[in-house]
Amino acid sequence: MSATVTAQIGTTDWHLTGIRTTRAGEICDHCPRTLKNLYDVENRITGQTMTVGRGCCKAVTGWTLAAAEAARILRAAQIAARQAEVWAEFTAAHPAAAQMLEDDIRTWRPAHPGQANIPLHVKNDIARGATPRSWWEGRIREYCRTRCS
Ligand SMILES: [Zn+2]
């Protein structure tokens, strides 16, 4: 996992880049308090980075971020980054199949209202799934069978 995984804080220009705890404590970059629970934030426009407490996170970003929500958005960003990595591996190993799926996702028309985008579902399966190539190939073969029938 790279250290570049970040999660946008609400609709602000600020991104959460890390949540840390420290026994010794660190001084908040916004107020004089010593903190044990630290939120690393970065402004995507100015590039400014700060380590603040959750209260000062609101003061700095203008967004109220509950602790559980902070953990959730950072975890979701890490999962999305991992899935993008797996998809990139798949694309490198099977460029034609990846291109076919991307094209199908774009041109998908549901057969009935509410029908899921099946090629998108297959792409997500691959991105979420195990990386052995035999698994990928099986998933693609299965998709091609239903697609062409
Ligand atoms: Zn503070």
Side-chain angles (χ1 to χ4, degrees):
M1 191 71 63
S2 67
T4 56
V5 171
T6 72
Q8 187 181 13
I9 297 173
T11 56
T12 70
D13 294 335
W14 289 89
H15 281 234
L16 185 63
T17 60
I19 302 171
R20 296 179 289 126
T21 58
T22 169
R23 285 172 73 87
E26 261 182 50
I27 306 288
C28 178
D29 285 339
H30 186 260
C31 74
R33 266 182 301 187
T34 301
L35 307 167
K36 295 198 171 188
N37 297 308
L38 307 164
Y39 294 79
D40 297 316
V41 296
E42 177 183 355
N43 187 300
R44 278 311 173 86
I45 305 300
T46 65
Q48 184 184 12
T49 61
M50 295 179 86
T51 295
V52 293
R54 205 166 56 78
C56 286
C57 183
K58 180 184 181 178
V60 168
T61 68
W63 193 271
T64 304
L65 196 59
E69 178 69 357
R72 193 192 65 74
I73 64 170
L74 197 57
R75 179 82 189 118
Q78 286 164 345
I79 290 168
R82 175 63 193 141
Q83 291 182 358
E85 268 176 41
V86 174
W87 180 250
E89 285 173 47
F90 174 81
T91 300
H94 301 284
Q99 188 61 57
M100 175 190 71
L101 275 175
E102 297 282 18
D103 290 346
D104 286 358
I105 288 164
R106 244 192 341 270
T107 58
W108 176 260
R109 297 288 176 273
H112 53 81
Q115 186 186 24
N117 184 318
I118 291 171
L120 179 61
H121 186 76
V122 173
K123 177 184 175 179
N124 289 340
D125 264 4
I126 289 169
R128 269 196 304 268
T131 52
R133 296 189 175 176
S134 58
W135 189 89
W136 286 346
E137 281 152 16
R139 193 71 185 89
I140 282 293
R141 254 198 314 277
E142 182 194 317
Y143 174 69
C144 287
R145 259 201 309 275
T146 56
R147 178 182 189 259
C148 303
S149 62

XYZ file of all heavy atoms in Angstrom, residues 28 30-33 35 52-53 56, ligand 1:
66
model
N -0.333 19.959 18.284
C -1.219 20.261 17.162
C -0.616 21.397 16.339
O -0.036 22.330 16.893
C -2.591 20.666 17.715
S -3.789 21.124 16.443
N -2.339 23.508 14.782
C -3.296 24.615 14.737
C -3.488 25.287 16.088
O -3.737 26.476 16.161
C -4.641 24.110 14.195
C -5.645 25.192 13.977
N -6.662 25.453 14.867
C -5.781 26.100 12.978
C -7.392 26.460 14.408
N -6.874 26.870 13.275
N -3.383 24.522 17.175
C -3.535 25.083 18.520
C -2.388 24.560 19.376
O -1.640 23.691 18.950
C -4.902 24.687 19.105
S -5.005 22.959 19.629
N -2.234 25.076 20.586
C -1.057 24.660 21.394
C -1.214 23.321 22.096
O -0.311 22.915 22.812
C -0.942 25.788 22.432
C -2.047 26.744 22.178
C -3.010 26.141 21.215
N -2.311 22.621 21.883
C -2.549 21.390 22.633
C -1.615 20.249 22.220
O -1.202 20.166 21.063
C -3.993 20.934 22.458
C -4.898 21.435 23.587
C -6.298 20.936 23.412
N -6.814 21.392 22.118
C -8.071 21.232 21.728
N -8.928 20.626 22.499
N -8.464 21.682 20.562
N -1.536 16.329 21.531
C -2.560 15.386 21.082
C -2.050 13.957 21.124
O -0.878 13.708 20.854
C -2.955 15.704 19.636
C -3.363 17.136 19.339
C -3.416 17.335 17.833
C -4.709 17.439 19.978
N -3.286 17.662 12.992
C -4.185 18.349 13.919
C -5.018 17.325 14.689
O -5.072 16.149 14.330
C -5.136 19.315 13.163
C -4.368 20.473 12.537
C -5.936 18.570 12.098
N -5.677 17.812 15.737
C -6.665 16.998 16.437
C -7.977 17.084 15.684
O -8.129 17.853 14.734
N -9.609 20.566 15.747
C -8.934 21.520 14.876
C -9.067 21.109 13.414
O -8.959 21.954 12.523
C -7.474 21.676 15.271
S -7.292 22.641 16.781
Zn -5.509 21.793 17.737
